[in-house]
Amino acid sequence: MTTTELDRTETFEVVPSGKPAGAEIRGVDIARGVSEATMKKILDALHEWKVVVLRNQRITPEQQIAFSRHFGTLEPHVLPQYLVPGYSELVRVSNVLDDAGKPIGMVDAGRVWHADGHFLPKPNLYSMLYALEIPHDANGKPLGATLFANTAHAYAQLPEAMKQRLQGLRGANSLANVYARMHAENAAKNRPPLTEAQKREAIHPVVRTHPFTGEKCLYVTRAATGRIEGMSQEDGDALIGELGDWCVREENVYAHQWAVGDVLIWDNCSSQHLAVGDYALPQRRLLHRTTVAGLETF
Ligand code: SIN
């Protein structure tokens, strides 16, 4: 545990999860506004731990949007039908149905390992979820955890020969691949067909350099990465499978158990995540999500 300085009346603390990813930040009340100095400490912790949680927050949509803007430019979600009404930058992740029996948000968000916006020319920099309703089992144990893998740690742990092999390789990534994977795993629910623009591939290095920390991060998932440039489909598939599995080995993964009031922020360059679908109505799950746009330089 590290204690750095006072944030208004409370002590700012970063409490690591004990896994390669994940830390809890204490001593910040987002609703009261966050100073530049505190934002720097939050960003430092995020870059070090790849995913951070601020517990016991009570924030309005406006406050979530204002806090999210400290991290960069927000972008509207690719599925506009799930936006929180009146907020183009706030999307609902939820299994709750409206009076007509239609889902109010994305029911199946994140059900395969992925990094947000992997399929975009400028992939999303960060994402943030605020928990409003969390499902529990009959014993009060929270359900619907989100798992996070540290892809910088995954790269650093690779054998030297594999690091050499990956130099200069580029992967082709698409939302169509993600959908195909979700369908194959029976994880897709109520997804409208993709437009031609949404199906487009984005070519990215297999090993990405983090824009702020300079860390090298594996940037391949079984879901989004469909092929490796210059490799046969068979060889590419084998490498994608090997690297994807390497990233999400249990020892590299932090499981976030949600509580209402959690604000969770993750870095999409140095992590991959997976939402666990181990709950169903009447167990309700509702989170509000913002997404920070990627940078000009990749
Ligand atoms: C996501 O991948 O954006 C959703 C994660 C979650 O619902 O836990």
Side-chain angles (χ1 to χ4, degrees):
M1 180 187 303
T2 55
T3 302
T4 48
E5 67 172 61
L6 291 181
D7 181 70
R8 302 193 186 214
T9 56
E10 292 177 88
T11 305
F12 185 99
E13 289 179 329
V14 178
V15 184
S17 70
K19 300 296 292 269
E24 181 180 339
I25 291 176
R26 296 185 183 157
V28 177
D29 180 355
I30 297 169
R32 292 171 65 181
V34 178
S35 68
E36 254 181 57
T38 298
M39 264 317 296
K40 181 174 177 332
K41 289 187 285 178
I42 293 172
L43 275 167
D44 286 348
L46 175 59
H47 290 150
E48 182 170 4
W49 296 106
K50 322 313 181 199
V51 51
V52 292
V53 60
L54 292 80
R55 302 250 190 212
N56 302 313
Q57 304 294 320
R58 256 176 181 273
I59 51 173
T60 62
E62 287 80 7
Q63 286 167 333
Q64 181 173 355
I65 289 168
F67 180 54
S68 303
R69 286 200 176 126
H70 286 293
F71 293 83
T73 305
L74 301 191
E75 67 177 33
H77 198 266
V78 287
L79 300 171
Q81 64 273 34
Y82 296 134
L83 292 173
V84 177
Y87 299 94
S88 63
E89 295 151 323
L90 206 55
V91 72
R92 283 177 177 145
V93 174
S94 185
N95 67 339
V96 175
L97 305 177
D98 67 13
D99 292 343
K102 282 174 65 183
I104 64 165
M106 296 163 69
V107 183
D108 55 0
R111 292 292 175 84
V112 289
W113 279 104
H114 69 289
D116 294 333
H118 198 165
F119 44 81
L120 298 172
K122 286 188 267 169
N124 307 139
L125 196 51
Y126 310 114
S127 306
M128 180 188 297
L129 279 175
Y130 171 49
L132 293 138
E133 294 186 66
I134 294 300
H136 291 85
D137 71 11
N139 300 316
K141 178 178 166 292
L143 299 171
T146 311
L147 312 184
F148 288 88
N150 179 337
T151 57
H153 190 251
Y155 177 79
Q157 298 281 306
L158 282 174
E160 209 47 49
M162 178 60 104
K163 288 184 183 167
Q164 295 295 326
R165 183 177 167 210
L166 299 183
Q167 264 186 26
L169 289 185
R170 303 198 311 166
N173 310 282
S174 78
L175 191 53
N177 292 339
V178 176
Y179 273 39
R181 181 91 191 165
M182 290 180 76
H183 284 294
E185 294 190 10
N186 216 10
K189 306 253 185 304
N190 304 312
R191 293 248 167 178
L194 292 171
T195 62
E196 285 312 305
Q198 285 172 330
K199 284 183 193 165
R200 240 172 253 148
E201 280 185 335
I203 307 293
H204 296 308
V206 163
V207 179
R208 235 186 119 173
T209 303
H210 193 281
F212 300 123
T213 66
E215 278 181 308
K216 290 189 171 182
C217 307
L218 280 178
Y219 203 53
V220 167
T221 62
R222 278 186 181 272
T225 315
R227 61 188 175 86
I228 305 286
E229 279 188 334
M231 277 193 181
S232 69
Q233 191 64 47
E234 194 184 355
D235 290 351
D237 285 349
L239 185 61
I240 292 162
E242 186 178 347
L243 295 177
D245 292 350
W246 177 257
C247 286
V248 305
R249 285 166 306 140
E250 203 196 326
E251 61 266 36
N252 196 36
V253 170
Y254 159 66
H256 183 69
Q257 305 295 347
W258 288 94
V260 169
D262 284 358
V263 170
L264 192 81
I265 309 144
W266 64 88
D267 179 319
N268 283 301
C269 177
S270 58
S271 72
Q272 295 174 7
H273 59 286
L274 170 77
V276 178
D278 58 354
Y279 59 93
L281 288 173
Q283 296 161 320
R284 292 164 58 106
R285 190 173 189 266
L286 171 62
L287 304 100
H288 283 178
R289 178 180 143 146
T290 48
T291 309
V292 177
L295 300 173
E296 206 60 57
T297 52
F298 185 71

